[in-house]
Amino acid sequence: MRLGIISALLEEQAGLVEAMRGAARVTHGMREYVAGQLWEIDAVCVLSRIGKVAAAMTATTLVEKFGVTHILFTGVAGAGDKTVNVGDIVIAESLVQHDMDASPLFPRFEVPLTGRTHFPPDQPLSMRLSQAAHDFLELDFLDAISEGERQTFRLAQPRVHRGLVASGDQFLNDVDRLDALNGALPGLVAVEMEGAAVAQVCHELGVPCAVIRAISDNANEHAATDFMRFVKSVAAQYAFHITRRLCRDLGQAPLQPRSDSAGT
Ligand code: ADE
């Protein structure tokens, strides 16, 4: 396997490139792709920058030019529901583009001419990711996140959620807008700006993907400040430790090849 690892910002992926052995850097389409050995597996790390087009371009390039066989998106998100707290981890069970609306020609949220509103990530990869996230919280968390940071962000007992992740080209910082989205999208757990674009690309190309997000804010009027603080101090620790656990696990027990023939 060759795993493509995408984050929007450096702060969401800091440390991974430094942990790579035999890192080779290639610039293409205004992004730097770093290929090498990450713990037990072959990997390519890249920063997509923010938004759905940037993420789609990056995912496509990872597959078409760098030959990745799987994609992991790791980063932060706003909470999509009141049961989800800052510091919790969300693993996408399904992804939707919340700003897609070609109604009345097509139902709201449907990506026209695909017949789909929701795009599924790969189940086996997401299960491995979920295990890595649980292990991070149980085994690494107290060492990885200082007591000061735990107090600042009130990270008493972070949890792992699986559910619907909604992506759009908007930073959400308005409770009314979030409530409306939550009402329109049952099972919503997180809002962000890239995941569903990657999921669509991976669906169309037949490449398994998974999306993980640490919750940085509540998508309310404090979201911008909360996001900046979280990204600056703790986001990289989450990404680094979870990715390390995932890579080691995938190296020791490789995923079985998929039996379906999507994206041929
Ligand atoms: N990523 C992190 N927080 C977010 C928010 N509130 N809206 C969109 N993307 C985000």
Side-chain angles (χ1 to χ4, degrees):
M1 90 177 291
R2 182 168 229 217
L3 181 66
I5 304 176
I6 314 177
S7 301
L9 304 173
L10 178 61
E11 291 87 340
E12 295 171 298
Q13 200 182 91
L16 285 187
V17 164
E18 291 73 11
M20 248 182 191
R21 277 185 292 123
R25 295 166 189 269
V26 176
T27 299
H28 176 82
M30 301 187 180
R31 285 177 188 80
E32 187 176 69
Y33 295 77
V34 190
Q37 194 74 15
L38 201 49
W39 293 290
E40 325 253 309
I41 64 166
D42 191 13
V44 184
C45 291
V46 58
L47 303 176
S48 60
R49 301 195 296 272
I50 294 174
K52 294 196 275 96
V53 173
M57 160 82 176
T58 308
T60 307
T61 304
L62 274 173
V63 176
E64 298 292 333
K65 187 171 170 67
F66 292 92
V68 306
T69 58
H70 297 72
I71 289 184
L72 169 69
F73 195 106
T74 171
V76 302
D81 186 79
K82 292 187 176 53
T83 60
V84 179
N85 299 310
V86 168
D88 285 0
I89 297 169
V90 161
I91 291 162
E93 249 175 0
S94 183
L95 297 108
V96 63
Q97 296 173 34
H98 70 69
D99 53 356
M100 175 58 78
D101 189 354
S103 60
L105 301 179
F106 297 90
R108 187 179 176 198
F109 304 128
E110 183 169 314
V111 178
L113 306 175
T114 66
R116 280 185 173 273
T117 52
H118 292 51
F119 288 85
D122 184 64
Q123 266 276 34
L125 184 59
S126 299
M127 296 293 287
R128 299 291 193 95
L129 187 57
S130 182
Q131 188 59 51
H134 280 285
D135 290 347
F136 161 70
L137 289 181
E138 224 166 87
L139 303 169
D140 304 326
F141 191 73
L142 293 180
D143 290 330
I145 313 287
S146 72
E147 195 183 339
E149 286 165 338
R150 277 181 266 136
Q151 277 173 4
T152 306
F153 294 101
R154 302 209 180 101
L155 309 177
Q157 216 123 56
R159 292 179 300 149
V160 179
H161 306 261
R162 301 205 55 204
L164 177 63
V165 171
S167 314
D169 287 323
Q170 283 150 5
F171 184 82
L172 285 184
N173 59 352
D174 176 347
V175 178
D176 293 339
R177 184 140 166 64
L178 180 69
D179 286 350
L181 264 188
N182 188 284
L185 293 168
L188 183 66
V189 287
V191 289
E192 39 87 308
M193 303 178 71
E194 297 85 17
V198 172
Q200 182 182 342
V201 167
C202 287
H203 173 75
E204 293 182 1
L205 294 176
V207 169
C209 75
V211 174
I212 185 165
R213 297 282 186 171
I215 298 299
S216 58
D217 62 87
N218 291 310
N220 59 15
E221 71 273 27
H222 308 298
T225 335
D226 293 347
F227 165 85
M228 291 304 291
R229 286 167 55 221
F230 192 92
V231 152
K232 257 194 192 147
S233 12
V234 286
Q237 269 74 273
Y238 275 69
F240 181 86
H241 289 282
I242 294 169
T243 306
R244 180 174 55 103
R245 286 193 171 275
L246 178 71
C247 290
R248 284 192 171 151
D249 174 47
L250 291 173
Q252 278 159 19
L255 287 166
Q256 298 301 312
R258 285 216 296 202
S259 53
D260 64 60
S261 57
T264 49

